Amino acid sequence: MNGTPSLHLLWIPLLPFLGFLLNGTIGRRLSRPVVSAVALLFTFLPFCLVANIALQFHSLALPHVEYLNHWIVAGGFHADFAFSVDELTMVFLLVVTGVGFLIHLYSVGYMAHEDGFWRFFAYLNLFMFFMLTLVLAENFLLLFVGWEGVGLASYLLIGYYFDRDSAANAGKKAFIVNRIGDFGFLLAMFLVILHFGTLSFQAVLAELATQPALHGGWLTAIALCLLVGAAGKSAQIPLYVWLPDAMEGPTPVSALIHAATMVTAGVYMVARTHPIFDRSPFALGTVAIIGCATAFFAATIGLMQTDIKRVLAYSTVSQLGYMFLACGVASYSSAIFHVVTHAFFKALLFLAAGSVIHALSGEQDMRVMGGLRSKIPVTFWTMTAGVIAIAGIPPLAGFFSKDEILYQVFTSPMAGAKLLWLVGLLTAGLTSFYMFRLYFLTFFGASRAEFAHPHTPEPTHSPEASKGMAEATTTHAAPHATVHSPDPHGAHGEPHESPWVMLLPLVILAILSVVGGALGLPGEGNFLHNFLSPVLRVVGSPEAAENGALEITLALISTLTALSGFAVAYFFYLKRPELPGELAARFRGLYLLLLDKYRIDELYDTILVRPVLFISRYILGGVVDTGIITGAGFGLGTGIKGLGSVAQRMQSGNIRSYAGWLAAGAALLLVLTFFGFGTHLPR
C-alpha cells in the first residue's frame, strides 16, 4: 500500500450497498421518512469519506492501492480484489458522490407520492455501489464488475414503472444494447491477458512503459475492443439508441445515470487506459471520428424533439460525443473537464425539467407549455443557468470546457482535425439553438395548453396559427409521440413550484454550473489540467499552450456561434412564433425525418431485430426445436413404444405361442447357417 496508512476505500462503495440491503429487504415495512433517511445517509457518508481523502490527498503516495484479498489465481495469472486512488479516480469520486447525493435529496420530493418508494431508493443505492466500484477498481476485471453492475441497476431504474410497456421495453433495450458493447470489453480483457499476462492497470501500464517502440498491431485491436465497450456504455454511434428511450424512467434516474455518472464510464475507461490508445493512431482517429459524428448527429435530432426530457437525452448523447472527440485528439484532461462541468449543468437541466414536469402534474410535451417563468421562478432561474452553461456562453462552466475541447481539436496534428473542429463548432451552434428553443417554449409566452394539438409539430403563440398548423398536419401523427391531456393545467390546478427538498439541489447545481469553469481556466494556472497531469500526461498537442492569440480568436468564434444559436431561437420562438410551423410545412420531409430520429430504430428493427426473431422463433424454435429435437424425441419414444407392443405380444403366457416363437427362431438360424451368414460366428 505504498507505505501510506489505509484509507479504508472499501467503505466508499460498501456504504451504499448497506443502504440497498436495508431498503431492499425491510424497506416495504418502513415509513417513507425512514426510507429516505437510510438512502440519504448511506449516500452522504461516502461523500464525507471522499472529502476526507481529498483533504489529505497531497500527502498520499499515488497511486494508493489497497489489496483486500486474492480473487482469481491460475498459474502465473492472478486478479485481486483491490481498490486504488489516483488523481483521475479522485475527480470521479467527488462527482459521483457529490452529484449523486444531491440527486438522492431531490428524489425524496420528486418520488414522494410514487408507489414502490422503498424500491426506488434501494435501486438508487445499488447503482451508487456499482458506480463507485467501477471508479475505484484497480484492475480491468473488478472494473468490469462495476461496469456490469451499473448496467443492471440502470435496467431496474429505467424499468421502474414496470407496469408500462414503454418503460419495460426501454429497460430491456438498454440492457441488451449494453451487452453488445460489453462483448467488446470482454474481448479486450482476453487480449490484455494474452499479451500482458495480467489485468492490473498499473502492471499493464508499467509493461507498456518498458516498450516505448511498441505501436499498433494487437494494441490497436485492444483499443478498438475497448472502444466498442465504451461506445455502448457512453451511447456513441452506433450503440446510442438505448439512451433516449431510457427517459422512460423517473427524472432523477435520468439526472443520475444518464447525465452525471454511468454514461461517462466509457470516457473514464478510455482515459484510464489512454497509454494503450496513445500507441495506436488509428484507434485514436476512430475515437475522434465517432465522437464528432455522434455529437453532430444527436444535435440534429434534438432540434425537433418535443418531449422536454427527450431533448435533454439527445443533448446528453451529443455532449458525450464532445468528450470522445477530446479523447480522440489525446486531450484527455479536456474530456474529464467536460465530464465535470457536464455533470453540473446536465444534472441541473434534468432536475429542472423534473421540476417543470412536477409543476404541470406530469406533462412533458413542450408544445403545451409556455408562460411558466413567473409561476415557478426558482426553477426558471436555475434552469436559465443550465441552459446558458450548456450553450457555451461565457462565463459559465460549459463555455470553458467545450471551448477547450474545440481548441485542442483545432491545434491537434491529427489529419482532418480542422474538419472535426468545424463540425464540432457547428454542433455547438445547434446545441445553443435547441436548448434555447426548449427554454423559450417552456417559460415564455402564454400557455398553449388550451389550444395545442397533440401532433402539432411546432407550437405557436396565436390560436389562428395553431389552427392552421393543426390543419396542415392532420395527416401525420408522430409515431412515438405521447398524447397528453389537452389541458393539464386545468385538470390539476395552476402550475406550482416544487418543494425546497427539490429546489435546494437545483440551486447548488446552478451555482456549480456558473462557477465550475474556474476548475479549468486557460493558461498555466489551469487547476484541473495540473491536477490530472501525473496520470493523464498526454494532453493535446505541444503547440496548444503556446498560442494565446489563436486561443482567444477561437474562443470568440465559438462564443459568436453560441450567441447565433440563441438569436435564431429567439427570432423563431419569441419574435416570429408562427415561422417554425411554416418551415415545418414547407420542408415536411426533412422535418419528419428529424422528428422520427432518422428512423434508426426502425432500421435496426428491420435489419437486426426481425431477422433475429425470425431465426429464433421459426428456424431455431420451429424447425430445430419443434421439428428436429422434439420430433426426434417423439419419434424415438413412438418407436420404443411400438417395440414394446410387439414384445408384449410375444410374452403372452401361452405355451403354444412360445413353442411357435422357438420354432421360428430355430428356422431363422438354420436359414442364416445355410446361406453362409453364420460362417464368421465364434465357435
Side-chain angles (χ1 to χ4, degrees):
M1 292 183 287
N2 301 320
T4 58
S6 175
L7 299 177
H8 306 293
L9 298 178
L10 174 64
W11 285 102
I12 297 176
L14 188 58
L15 286 168
F17 186 73
L18 294 177
F20 158 73
L21 289 179
L22 286 173
N23 279 333
T25 54
I26 62 174
R28 186 191 298 269
R29 296 188 291 274
L30 300 176
S31 65
R32 297 195 175 209
V34 174
V35 169
S36 304
V38 169
L40 291 175
L41 176 65
F42 286 101
T43 309
F44 182 68
L45 288 177
F47 174 72
C48 294
L49 291 176
V50 171
N52 180 61
I53 295 173
L55 292 176
Q56 55 180 311
F57 200 72
H58 65 281
S59 63
L60 297 178
L62 299 175
H64 175 88
V65 181
E66 294 186 5
Y67 292 96
L68 304 178
N69 207 338
H70 292 302
W71 184 3
I72 298 175
V73 178
F77 171 81
H78 67 90
D80 299 320
F81 279 113
F83 293 127
S84 69
V85 169
D86 61 11
E87 292 82 359
L88 180 61
T89 305
M90 199 68 228
V91 171
F92 272 83
L93 285 176
L94 287 169
V95 169
V96 173
T97 57
V99 176
F101 172 73
L102 292 176
I103 294 172
H104 275 70
L105 181 62
Y106 175 96
S107 301
V108 172
Y110 190 87
M111 302 296 292
H113 303 292
E114 294 285 351
D115 294 332
F117 186 80
W118 60 273
R119 178 167 52 89
F120 176 81
F121 280 101
Y123 293 163
L124 219 56
N125 278 178
L126 180 65
F127 171 83
M128 292 290 289
F129 162 69
F130 282 121
M131 188 66 200
L132 292 170
T133 299
L134 185 156
V135 171
L136 284 165
E138 187 275 336
N139 54 66
F140 283 94
L141 190 58
L142 190 55
L143 185 148
F144 188 70
V145 171
W147 188 274
E148 291 296 285
V150 293
L152 169 63
S154 177
Y155 164 75
L156 296 172
L157 287 164
I158 294 169
Y160 174 77
Y161 301 116
F162 58 85
D163 54 341
R164 303 179 188 174
D165 287 341
S166 58
N169 291 333
K172 289 184 287 186
K173 185 176 183 179
F175 194 82
I176 293 170
V177 172
N178 272 276
R179 299 296 73 73
I180 297 172
D182 295 347
F183 179 70
F185 196 166
L186 280 171
L187 289 179
M189 285 199 295
F190 294 148
L191 289 172
V192 169
I193 294 173
L194 177 64
H195 292 286
F196 292 101
T198 180
L199 288 175
S200 168
F201 291 126
Q202 298 304 316
V204 169
L205 302 185
E207 179 68 19
L208 280 176
T210 64
Q211 304 181 53
L214 187 61
H215 288 80
W218 50 268
L219 286 177
T220 297
I222 293 174
L224 292 177
C225 288
L226 290 174
L227 175 59
V228 172
K233 195 66 71 182
S234 293
Q236 298 296 286
I237 289 175
L239 302 178
Y240 73 94
V241 291
W242 67 270
L243 194 146
D245 287 358
M247 298 304 108
E248 292 290 342
T251 301
V253 173
S254 304
L256 178 63
I257 296 181
H258 308 118
T261 54
M262 173 180 144
V263 292
T264 61
V267 182
Y268 171 80
M269 190 254 288
V270 172
R272 172 61 66 197
T273 59
H274 75 91
I276 297 176
F277 285 87
D278 292 338
R279 301 293 184 91
S280 174
F282 178 79
L284 276 181
T286 304
V287 172
I289 292 171
I290 288 178
C292 187
T294 302
F296 179 76
F297 181 80
T300 60
I301 298 177
L303 295 173
M304 298 301 171
Q305 300 307 302
T306 55
D307 185 304
I308 189 171
K309 287 175 63 178
R310 197 166 288 271
V311 173
L312 297 177
Y314 281 104
S315 172
T316 297
V317 177
S318 183
Q319 297 304 306
L320 290 166
Y322 272 112
M323 300 171 201
F324 273 76
L325 175 58
C327 289
V329 297
S331 184
Y332 305 104
S333 63
S334 300
I336 301 306
F337 184 24
H338 201 54
V339 166
V340 175
T341 61
H342 180 261
F344 296 157
F345 61 69
K346 185 53 65 67
L348 167 63
L349 288 168
F350 268 117
L351 296 185
S355 185
V356 170
I357 295 168
H358 178 270
L360 301 180
S361 301
E363 183 59 66
Q364 295 182 200
D365 195 331
M366 297 185 299
R367 294 168 294 186
V368 296
M369 294 182 185
L372 295 176
R373 177 176 50 170
S374 60
K375 297 177 180 178
I376 48 174
V378 178
T379 300
F380 166 72
W381 285 111
T382 54
M383 196 165 196
T384 300
V387 169
I388 296 175
I390 193 175
I393 297 175
L396 274 72
F399 163 76
F400 291 99
S401 58
K402 189 180 296 183
D403 184 67
E404 182 176 318
I405 290 174
L406 292 175
Y407 177 64
Q408 295 290 347
V409 173
F410 188 89
T411 57
S412 170
M414 178 183 294
K418 300 298 188 293
L419 178 60
L420 295 176
W421 170 82
L422 184 60
V423 175
L425 183 68
L426 179 59
T427 302
L430 295 177
T431 301
S432 178
F433 170 77
Y434 68 68
M435 287 307 305
F436 278 107
R437 170 180 176 265
L438 177 152
Y439 182 66
F440 292 137
L441 289 178
T442 303
F443 293 105
F444 289 82
S447 172
R448 294 174 298 277
E450 64 271 18
F451 55 79
H453 188 278
H455 300 305
T456 301
E458 285 291 341
T460 65
H461 290 296
S462 66
E464 292 78 10
S466 178
K467 179 181 177 182
M469 277 312 303
E471 293 172 352
T473 58
T474 52
T475 59
H476 173 75
H480 303 297
T482 301
V483 179
H484 299 276
S485 168
D487 188 6
H489 300 180
H492 301 282
E494 285 297 310
H496 50 283
E497 188 62 279
S498 300
W500 273 103
V501 71
M502 294 170 61
L503 295 179
L504 180 60
L506 293 184
V507 172
I508 296 174
L509 289 169
I511 294 172
L512 292 173
S513 299
V514 172
V515 305
L519 293 171
L521 293 176
E524 295 182 0
N526 188 316
F527 170 78
L528 194 61
H529 168 84
N530 294 333
F531 181 74
L532 291 172
S533 59
V535 66
L536 299 179
R537 294 179 178 84
V538 182
V539 186
S541 66
E543 300 82 10
E546 299 176 1
N547 196 335
L550 176 62
E551 188 169 6
I552 293 174
T553 301
L554 294 178
L556 288 174
I557 293 174
S558 64
T559 300
L560 289 174
T561 302
L563 291 175
S564 297
F566 162 78
V568 174
Y570 178 82
F571 181 75
F572 275 20
Y573 295 98
L574 287 186
K575 300 297 290 184
R576 292 282 305 278
E578 75 283 356
L579 191 58
E582 295 173 2
L583 291 175
R586 181 177 302 176
F587 302 100
R588 184 177 179 82
L590 178 60
Y591 167 74
L592 295 181
L593 183 65
L594 295 179
L595 183 67
D596 293 342
K597 301 159 287 185
Y598 296 103
R599 301 190 69 80
I600 297 297
D601 283 308
E602 290 78 2
L603 176 64
Y604 283 4
D605 185 66
T606 300
I607 66 176
L608 294 175
V609 177
R610 291 184 182 180
V612 169
L613 289 178
F614 176 81
I615 293 172
S616 304
R617 292 174 178 173
Y618 299 106
I619 297 180
L620 297 179
V623 177
V624 177
D625 187 19
T626 304
I628 299 177
I629 298 176
T630 304
F634 180 78
L636 182 62
T638 303
I640 292 175
K641 184 178 179 181
L643 290 175
S645 177
V646 173
Q648 183 182 19
R649 293 183 179 181
M650 293 174 63
Q651 299 295 327
S652 63
N654 190 315
I655 296 178
R656 290 198 304 175
S657 175
Y658 290 161
W661 283 112
L662 183 62
L668 180 61
L669 287 175
L670 288 174
V671 170
L672 292 175
T673 303
F674 179 78
F675 286 103
F677 292 107
T679 56
H680 299 292
L681 292 176
R683 298 180 182 276

